Amino acid sequence: MIEQIKTAVHQAAENNQKSAMFHYQVLKNADELKGINPIGFCKEISVPKSYAAEFTKMIALARLMKEQGTKLI
């Protein structure tokens, strides 16, 4: 899964969609990514460690969406 996310994020960079794809992938895979160290995740997929804050936000958003009854992808 990590390699798939990495590939998707870096391919999206070609269309100036890197950040959006990062958000989408983390949100989509939030259940599996829950508990992973955000900085370590960013290193694994070769994005700046500043993305760690966005990782944390997307995990929290996924939790909130579930609590509110919104279906994730």
Side-chain angles (χ1 to χ4, degrees):
M1 173 189 53
I2 300 292
E3 275 304 312
Q4 291 174 335
I5 293 171
K6 181 178 182 178
T7 299
V9 168
H10 290 282
Q11 286 178 344
E14 297 170 8
N15 297 318
N16 295 322
Q17 295 291 317
K18 183 178 179 178
S19 180
M21 181 59 72
F22 178 86
H23 285 94
Y24 171 74
Q25 289 294 329
V26 174
L27 187 60
K28 180 176 111 174
N29 295 291
D31 285 341
E32 292 84 8
L33 296 172
K34 195 173 16 179
I36 290 181
N37 177 285
I39 293 174
F41 175 77
C42 290
K43 285 181 183 177
E44 274 195 74
I45 68 164
S46 303
V47 296
K49 68 179 179 179
S50 60
Y51 277 55
E54 299 306 312
F55 176 91
T56 302
K57 290 175 189 176
M58 290 300 101
I59 297 296
L61 178 57
R63 181 178 27 83
L64 178 63
M65 289 175 71
K66 276 189 170 181
E67 289 171 0
Q68 297 297 314
T70 303
K71 291 189 178 193
L72 293 175
I73 300 164

